């Protein structure tokens, strides 16, 4: 059993709340305290963004957070150090690293996966590493008992859904809309019917992200899904904050209503 | 264009270890759709006929193969020939590809055209064909480039394109490409993305190469007619590398024809301020394909520098990366000052003002000619004309225009 599957099993009918934050934003010092704060306020899994200079699939909010983090010297190694520090006092919350391939290629798959496992990372989601291009990565992941999370988009064909479901582990991340992270225009009805179809293909938990921004949108797309990911909206509330206490308060204020709304489902 | 000169890429879009399909999931469907539409049309005689007709009557092809007599005389080495892509409509090779892709867009029923541009040449070439077809056109351009290339921005607007400034990252070509990808993800149903170089996820590198390979195909015929045989060497500048691939590809199997790709050495490789991805980058993944990428130790893509905006790109087409690895083509660098000197030489000796991109190829071609005997022949791809660069040259030389 892995920490991710344990977590979803424990949640049972409860919906998983998966916040996304960019490592090093708003400041590198705040990342680990924020991770703990997220857990205290209802996060079941944490997605930690690995800052990249060219985040093709991200909207303006996460782009800016990435740029700010890079400016403050945050790279893959520092991100892993943050996870290790988080793990010193939290062994039960799964951490998923989300980012792009180039920094990983630069470090080398083997070194990255080995060090990620050592730091306490449970899974990785690399936006630009689809199943067709992930053979070498998967070899390394298996060696260190890490899982690779894949995206399924509204445009993904049935044949590709099958391919992805065969290779996916941990959970399947359903992209709720045609667009980048943080876009508007969620259509919960479409999302829910797509998730019903996906459930025919995989036993894995399915979580929904991209465009989920508050309690009501979370509830709307969580009807069929096993959890929701919220990134841009959370990061947006942190814009301009430097003070630790203020930032953590904002995180708590953001999380609570969403947690409560999901729990009332 | 239907003629195959090599078996690459393979079924999955790879050129050896390079290329591939490193795209985000939302784009897979339209990449597959594009691939199958292209496969079908590529071998469709009607499409071929229309493409060739447009190249002849709208672009003005074939472009001449011109013997540069005074340059040759001055170098006292190999005979120097120029492939005159600068004489194409809109002033560069870029139009070959946009003419092809817009036909594809039209046949796929797409209503909205998007493109990225750096110097503005590809943006202008895209806006041109979109105007001709009556399709909506949006061009993404880094805000730094918008300032540097005001005239091309205005040209695109005159042609009816909506030029959107990109303020993320380094605010240049690579960021414009990111933004165009984001647009595409959000409008996959009705939008066709015309990528301007032999990069991006499959099928773009092969498709853009095929549309530009008319350059090399013409050189094959012209060299036989004018020289009596194939040239001994081909020289072309490489940013993303579409003009070079267009010239090289039809000669890949002709091993006696040497190939030289010229990267932008900027202020010198030792300064770090250049755009020589093959010579000084490392293998990575950018914009949907695996290739040589200019990035720092942490894998962040670095800002590049070249006197020529069209070469100012931190990646390179995956097929070039492959040709470099197997040794079929050699990749060299030419610095800003050498390119500028070649710009003046060609202008004064032959009465042809080259684009600063093409001036890199001229600079290397001149060096190469000197090392070869007079019975040898070199073809240099004069990929674009220099009108757009007059302001840059004046500014560097402290002249107010």
């Amino acid at each position: 059993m892995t920490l991710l599957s344990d977590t979803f099993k424990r949640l049972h009918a409860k919906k998983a709340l998966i916040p996304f934050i960019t490592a090093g934003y708003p400041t590198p010092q705040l990342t680990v305290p924020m991770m703990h704060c997220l857990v205290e306020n209802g996060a079941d899994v944490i997605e930690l963004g690995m800052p990249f200079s060219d985040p093709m699939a991200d909207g303006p909010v996460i782009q800016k957070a990435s740029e700010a983090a890079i400016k403050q010297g945050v790279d893959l190694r520092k991100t892993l150090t943050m996870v290790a520090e988080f793990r010193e006092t939290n062994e039960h919350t799964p951490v998923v690293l989300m980012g792009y391939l180039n920094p990983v290629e630069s470090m080398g798959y083997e070194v990255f996966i080995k060090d990620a496992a050592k730091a306490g990372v449970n899974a990785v989601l690399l936006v630009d590493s689809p199943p067709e291009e992930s053979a070498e990565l998967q070899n390394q992941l298996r060696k260190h008992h890490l899982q690779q999370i894949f995206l399924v988009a509204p445009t993904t064909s049935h044949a590709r859904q099958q391919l992805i479901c065969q290779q996916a582990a941990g959970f399947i991340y359903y992209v709720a809309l045609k667009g980048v992270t943080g876009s508007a225009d969620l259509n919960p009805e479409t999302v829910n019917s797509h998730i019903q179809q996906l459930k025919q293909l995989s036993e894995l938990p399915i979580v929904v992200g991209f465009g989920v921004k508050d309690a009501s949108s979370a509830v709307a797309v969580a009807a069929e899904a096993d959890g929701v990911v919220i990134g841009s909206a959370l990061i947006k509330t942190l814009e301009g904050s430097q003070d630790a206490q203020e930032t953590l308060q904002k995180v708590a204020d953001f999380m609570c209503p969403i947690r409560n709304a999901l729990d009332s489902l | 264009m239907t003629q195959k000169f090599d078996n690459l890429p393979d079924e999955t879009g790879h050129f050896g270890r390079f290329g591939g399909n490193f795209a985000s999931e939302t784009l897979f469907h339209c990449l597959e759709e594009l691939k199958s539409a292209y496969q079908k049309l590529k071998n469709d005689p009607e499409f071929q006929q229309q493409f060739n007709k447009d190249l002849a009557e709208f672009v003005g092809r074939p472009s001449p193969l011109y013997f540069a007599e005074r340059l040759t005389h001055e170098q006292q080495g190999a005979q120097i020939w120029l492939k005159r892509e600068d004489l194409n409509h809109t002033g560069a090779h870029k139009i070959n590809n946009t003419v092809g892709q817009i036909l594809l867009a039209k046949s796929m029923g797409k209503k909205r055209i998007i493109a990225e541009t750096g110097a503005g040449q590809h943006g202008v070439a895209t806006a041109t064909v979109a105007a001709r077809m009556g399709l909506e056109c949006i061009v993404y351009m880094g805000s730094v480039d918008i300032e540097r290339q005001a005239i091309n921005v205005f040209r695109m607007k005159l042609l009816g394109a909506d030029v959107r400034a990109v303020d993320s990252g380094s605010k240049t070509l690579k960021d414009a490409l990111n933004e165009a990808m984001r647009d595409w993800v959000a409008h996959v149903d009705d939008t066709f993305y015309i990528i301007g170089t032999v990069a991006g996820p499959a099928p773009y590198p092969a498709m853009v190469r095929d549309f530009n390979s008319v350059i090399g195909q013409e050189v094959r015929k012209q060299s036989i007619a004018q020289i009596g045989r194939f040239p001994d060497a081909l020289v072309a500048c490489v940013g993303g590398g579409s003009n070079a691939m267009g010239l090289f590809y039809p000669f890949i199997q002709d091993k006696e024809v040497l190939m030289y790709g010229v990267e932008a050495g900027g202020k010198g490789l030792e300064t770090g301020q250049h755009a020589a991805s093959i010579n000084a980058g490392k293998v990575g993944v950018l914009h949907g394909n695996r290739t040589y990428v200019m990035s720092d130790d942490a894998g962040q893509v670095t800002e590049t520098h070249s006197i020529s905006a069209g070469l100012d790109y931190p990646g390179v087409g995956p097929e070039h990366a492959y040709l470099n690895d197997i040794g079929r083509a050699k990749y060299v660098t030419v610095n800003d000052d050498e390119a500028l000197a070649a710009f003046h030489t060609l202008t004064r000796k032959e009465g042809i003002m080259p684009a600063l991109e093409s001036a890199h190829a001229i600079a290397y071609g001149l060096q190469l000619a000197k090392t070869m005997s007079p019975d040898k022949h070199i073809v240099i791809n004069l990929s674009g004309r220099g009108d757009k660069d007059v302001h840059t040259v004046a500014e560097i030389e402290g002249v107010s225009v």
Side-chain angles (χ1 to χ4, degrees):
Chain A
M1 290 301 271
T2 67
L3 195 52
L4 268 173
S5 60
D6 283 350
T7 302
F8 280 99
K9 196 165 230 178
R10 204 185 53 241
L11 283 169
H12 193 55
K14 225 177 109 183
K15 307 292 182 184
L17 175 53
I18 310 178
F20 169 98
I21 56 171
T22 299
Y25 185 81
T27 69
Q29 295 72 27
L30 276 170
T31 301
V32 176
M34 275 169 65
M35 291 169 79
H36 288 300
C37 176
L38 288 169
V39 175
E40 282 155 24
N41 290 283
D44 300 300
V45 177
I46 291 177
E47 264 195 31
L48 189 61
M50 304 178 275
F52 179 48
S53 54
D54 293 76
M56 264 175 2
D58 285 301
V61 173
I62 295 177
Q63 285 172 44
K64 269 190 211 146
S66 257
E67 281 177 30
I70 292 169
K71 267 199 195 117
Q72 296 178 82
V74 177
D75 57 14
L76 222 45
R77 287 187 186 283
K78 295 228 167 77
T79 305
L80 295 181
T81 312
M82 290 169 184
V83 178
E85 198 188 323
F86 171 75
R87 278 280 173 259
E88 285 172 12
T89 51
N90 181 317
E91 289 178 353
H92 68 277
T93 308
V95 173
V96 178
L97 290 183
M98 181 167 180
Y100 296 80
L101 207 45
N102 201 56
V104 171
E105 295 235 334
S106 181
M107 193 168 177
Y109 288 152
E110 199 175 347
V111 179
F112 167 68
I113 304 294
K114 197 177 90 205
D115 290 1
K118 213 170 120 194
V121 170
N122 304 95
V124 298
L125 195 175
L126 294 163
V127 177
D128 51 358
S129 192
E132 292 89 338
E133 303 284 2
S134 294
E136 168 60 15
L137 184 71
Q138 295 228 321
N139 278 339
Q140 295 297 334
L141 287 168
R142 265 192 293 273
K143 239 188 247 174
H144 296 279
H145 310 288
L146 258 65
Q147 296 175 305
Q148 184 172 10
I149 311 290
F150 288 109
L151 301 171
V152 169
T155 51
T156 304
S157 66
H158 186 72
R160 274 188 68 76
Q161 286 184 9
Q162 284 176 318
L163 172 78
I164 293 167
C165 289
Q166 274 164 23
Q167 289 198 30
F171 58 83
I172 289 169
Y173 187 136
Y174 182 76
V175 177
L177 45 79
K178 296 174 189 171
V180 293
T181 53
S183 307
D185 306 331
L186 258 190
N187 183 343
E189 270 172 43
T190 320
V191 171
N192 289 326
S193 81
H194 278 148
I195 289 173
Q196 275 176 345
Q197 288 165 20
L198 259 183
K199 293 237 157 179
Q200 310 292 316
L201 296 175
S202 177
E203 305 265 290
L204 288 174
I206 297 170
V207 309
V208 185
F210 283 49
V212 184
K213 57 178 189 295
D214 51 21
S216 69
S217 54
V219 166
V221 296
E224 297 293 330
D226 301 293
V228 294
V229 182
I230 304 194
S232 297
L234 167 58
I235 289 175
K236 203 172 165 56
T237 62
L238 308 174
E239 268 172 18
S241 45
Q242 295 287 329
D243 176 70
Q245 200 125 33
E246 183 199 336
T247 306
L248 297 179
Q249 190 58 50
K250 281 181 181 169
V251 169
D253 292 346
F254 182 85
M255 290 287 286
C256 284
I258 301 169
R259 179 75 270 172
N260 291 336
L262 286 177
D263 287 347
S264 66
L265 266 179
Chain B
M1 199 183 78
T2 41
Q3 208 174 340
K4 266 177 104 73
F5 296 95
D6 205 348
N7 292 322
L8 292 177
D10 63 16
E11 215 9 68
T12 56
H14 291 84
F15 303 88
R17 61 178 169 147
F18 300 105
N21 234 328
F22 295 86
S24 58
E25 184 55 36
T26 312
L27 288 179
F28 262 85
H29 175 70
C30 42
L31 290 168
E32 279 166 8
E33 188 185 61
L34 177 64
K35 188 177 159 192
S36 68
Y38 177 58
Q39 293 294 358
K40 212 175 101 210
L41 282 185
K42 199 169 137 168
N43 302 311
D44 173 20
E46 215 170 292
F47 177 80
Q48 285 306 316
Q49 203 183 2
Q50 185 63 49
F51 178 57
N52 291 332
K53 186 173 179 330
D54 286 352
L55 287 181
E57 296 169 12
F58 186 64
V59 176
R61 303 202 70 95
S63 69
L65 182 65
Y66 166 79
F67 178 56
E69 196 177 341
R70 292 189 72 207
L71 278 190
T72 301
H73 182 72
E74 189 162 87
Q75 301 303 307
Q76 299 197 338
Q79 315 283 308
I80 299 170
W81 299 79
L82 305 177
K83 178 59 175 165
R84 298 291 310 274
E85 291 298 299
D86 60 317
L87 294 177
N88 292 340
H89 179 41
T90 72
H93 72 287
K94 292 287 185 193
I95 191 86
N96 302 326
N97 169 48
T98 60
V99 160
Q101 287 201 46
I102 201 100
L103 285 177
L104 193 51
K106 194 104 185 168
S107 83
M108 289 172 77
K110 303 288 182 181
K111 303 270 178 269
R112 190 171 169 272
I113 300 297
I114 58 169
E116 84 295 338
T117 198
Q121 290 305 101
H122 173 59
V124 168
T126 304
T128 298
V129 294
R132 178 169 176 247
M133 293 290 183
L135 295 174
E136 182 190 358
C137 178
I138 292 126
V139 180
Y140 289 94
M141 190 168 183
S143 55
V144 168
D145 289 335
I146 285 186
E147 244 169 69
R148 290 197 284 200
Q149 305 287 340
I151 292 188
N152 271 344
V153 173
F154 188 56
R155 285 171 80 192
M156 286 184 267
K157 287 182 180 164
L158 288 173
L159 287 159
D162 173 5
V163 181
R164 295 194 186 158
V166 178
D167 271 317
S168 57
S170 59
K171 306 177 174 51
T172 59
L173 176 59
K174 76 174 178 72
D175 311 286
L177 222 150
N178 292 334
E179 206 53 41
M181 288 275 186
R182 291 178 189 123
D183 178 309
W184 200 22
V185 167
H187 303 96
V188 284
D189 298 326
D190 66 343
T191 298
F192 190 101
Y193 179 16
I194 299 190
I195 292 187
T197 193
V198 287
Y204 282 102
M207 182 171 74
V208 177
R209 171 199 72 194
D210 291 349
F211 286 136
N212 270 307
S213 68
V214 63
I215 302 171
Q217 282 170 300
E218 286 175 6
V219 171
R220 282 173 78 90
K221 284 189 209 133
Q222 291 166 325
S223 61
I224 297 290
Q226 293 172 252
I227 306 172
R229 61 180 178 84
F230 287 160
D232 301 283
L234 307 172
V235 180
C237 63
V238 176
S242 64
N243 89 81
M245 256 349 285
L247 176 63
F248 293 176
Y249 182 62
F251 287 100
I252 282 189
Q253 299 299 342
D254 305 293
K255 299 279 155 57
E256 72 284 4
V257 181
L258 303 177
M259 299 171 173
Y260 297 90
V262 186
E263 295 196 301
K267 295 179 178 166
L269 290 195
E270 68 289 352
T271 66
Q273 294 188 57
H274 56 80
S277 317
I278 292 179
N279 278 279
K282 53 186 175 180
V283 177
V285 169
L286 180 67
H287 296 146
N289 65 100
R290 180 176 279 126
T291 185
Y292 287 102
V293 179
M294 302 255 303
S295 58
D296 65 15
D297 292 339
Q300 308 297 355
V301 180
T302 47
E303 290 183 27
T304 49
H305 164 84
S306 171
I307 188 175
S308 120
L311 301 183
D312 213 347
Y313 177 66
V316 63
E319 194 162 11
H320 285 296
Y322 174 72
L323 292 177
N324 175 69
D325 269 25
I326 62 167
R328 178 64 187 92
K330 193 168 181 242
Y331 293 84
V332 298
T333 62
V334 155
N335 294 353
D336 287 352
D337 52 351
E338 298 168 300
L340 192 60
F343 170 89
H344 287 297
T345 305
L346 189 66
T347 304
R348 296 297 282 267
K349 297 286 172 193
E350 298 287 350
I352 300 171
M353 204 176 286
L356 285 172
E357 290 79 9
S358 323
H360 286 72
I362 302 290
Y364 186 74
L366 295 180
Q367 289 174 31
L368 183 66
K370 266 191 194 164
T371 68
M372 293 166 75
S373 59
D375 60 334
K376 304 285 188 194
H377 296 265
I378 297 179
V379 172
I380 305 172
N381 203 11
L382 188 54
S383 55
R385 64 175 175 240
D387 309 37
K388 69 178 177 63
D389 294 317
V390 167
H391 275 87
T392 307
V393 173
E395 200 180 297
I396 290 168
E397 298 179 348
V399 180
S400 72
V401 184

